[in-house]
Amino acid sequence: GSMSVCPRPLIAVALLPLARSIALPAAVSRAVWASHHLFERPLQESLLEDLANVKVPAEEDREILAFAARPKVPPDGALPVLLVLHEFWGLSGSIVDKAQGLADELGCLCIAPDCFRGETTDFVPKAIWLALSTPQQRVNADLAAVLRWAASQDGVAENFPVGVLGFCFGGGKAIGFTTTMRPDAATVVFYGEPVLKVEALAALSAPVCGIYGAEDPQPTTNRAAAARFQSALAEAGVEHDVTCYEGVGHAFWKDMGQIERRETPQITAWRQSTTFLRTFFDG
């Protein structure tokens, strides 16, 4: 609209204390984090319907919009399945591009579902609201439906290996899903809020990869949070590979252009996550 970009973090600061589920100090912290997101956000000019290329049947006659990517060069064997979970903006062009890039790199069926059930935004306060008002159990139900749909797709093996990779909001939801619903699925958390309860992590039978930025100001995803995640995974006896990259903050991998240009540390994080998933899929 006519509003300039600059006041938006201030709006975030004003609105955040109204969110009943977070206390005031956390609210201010989230506002700082949100403003960091704001100035480096992916452009989201496409409507959700334009981004999605499949409609996945779910319970109560609902449909889940999703983008499904197949590798441009089909692999020799059956396809593993990778779920890619978006940030708090919702499904975006950047996520669609990453899903296609990951499908090509890993030779897998990659599915990026709309976890917000029809919502997408580039306005920070709405993004925060969408994240706060989307419970893990609802996401779990949708991801389970997506995996049921994946099982019926051409080229997917009967007992296909599953990976779940998420960014920011989606990273937290990824580890929330695997610890409660799919302990046999590999998890990749890109700067998402980690599960830190050792007994919850101990349910996992598959490995976890965590990627964080050392300059991230958010207490749930900063350097200390990454260290706590690593310690909890070790105590739980879960195979893991958690790295905190120096010189970058939250949401440092914006788009596939950074990978094509071999920007660091984005290319290093890309190699870490794809090597991790390839090893798991080939296992």
Side-chain angles (χ1 to χ4, degrees), residues 22-271:
I22 39 182
L24 190 58
V28 174
S29 158
R30 277 182 191 259
V32 172
W33 171 73
S35 65
H36 183 96
H37 259 294
L38 177 73
F39 293 111
E40 301 183 3
R41 71 178 187 267
L43 290 173
Q44 281 192 213
E45 293 160 2
S46 305
L47 292 169
L48 202 48
E49 288 73 17
D50 295 336
L51 292 168
N53 62 3
V54 295
K55 291 179 177 178
V56 175
E59 77 285 348
E60 297 162 8
D61 294 325
R62 282 190 314 105
E63 288 181 319
I64 300 162
L65 291 171
F67 176 77
R70 285 176 173 271
K72 292 191 179 81
V73 180
D76 294 335
L79 295 167
V81 172
L82 178 65
L83 302 184
V84 174
L85 310 187
H86 57 69
E87 312 99 325
F88 73 167
W89 305 115
L91 192 61
S92 67
S94 136
I95 293 292
V96 162
D97 290 346
K98 288 173 182 174
Q100 186 62 61
L102 288 161
D104 292 339
E105 178 71 20
L106 295 167
C108 65
L109 174 62
C110 196
I111 309 163
D114 158 33
C115 295
F116 287 156
R117 294 188 175 179
E119 297 269 11
T120 187
T121 188
D122 65 356
F123 186 41
V124 166
K126 183 173 182 185
I128 293 168
W129 170 247
L130 286 170
L132 289 173
S133 59
T134 303
Q136 182 74 52
Q137 285 176 302
R138 201 184 87 178
V139 175
N140 287 355
D142 287 357
L143 299 183
V146 170
L147 288 176
R148 284 194 297 273
W149 176 85
S152 66
Q153 300 308 297
D154 288 345
V156 174
E158 191 171 345
N159 294 309
F160 56 95
V162 174
V164 187
L165 178 153
F167 300 94
C168 164
F169 159 84
K173 293 294 184 258
I175 190 75
F177 176 66
T178 54
T179 49
T180 55
M181 302 272 291
R182 280 304 295 254
D184 61 335
T187 316
V188 181
V189 181
F190 269 90
Y191 32 80
E193 183 171 349
V195 169
L196 296 174
K197 288 184 178 172
V198 171
E199 59 272 26
L201 293 169
L204 294 171
S205 56
V208 173
C209 175
I211 292 171
Y212 293 87
E215 309 302 316
D216 190 334
Q218 174 74 355
T220 53
T221 52
N222 64 9
R223 184 197 291 273
R228 286 194 297 273
F229 191 25
Q230 190 160 16
S231 297
L233 287 162
E235 194 179 333
V238 176
E239 186 185 334
H240 63 279
D241 178 13
V242 177
T243 302
C244 197
Y245 286 91
E246 297 297 331
V248 286
H250 190 76
F252 66 86
W253 178 22
K254 308 296 172 206
D255 55 51
M256 287 302 295
Q258 293 172 308
I259 308 308
E260 288 151 19
R261 293 188 298 272
R262 302 202 182 301
E263 290 181 18
T264 53
Q266 289 80 6
I267 187 70
T268 316
W270 161 265
R271 287 175 181 149

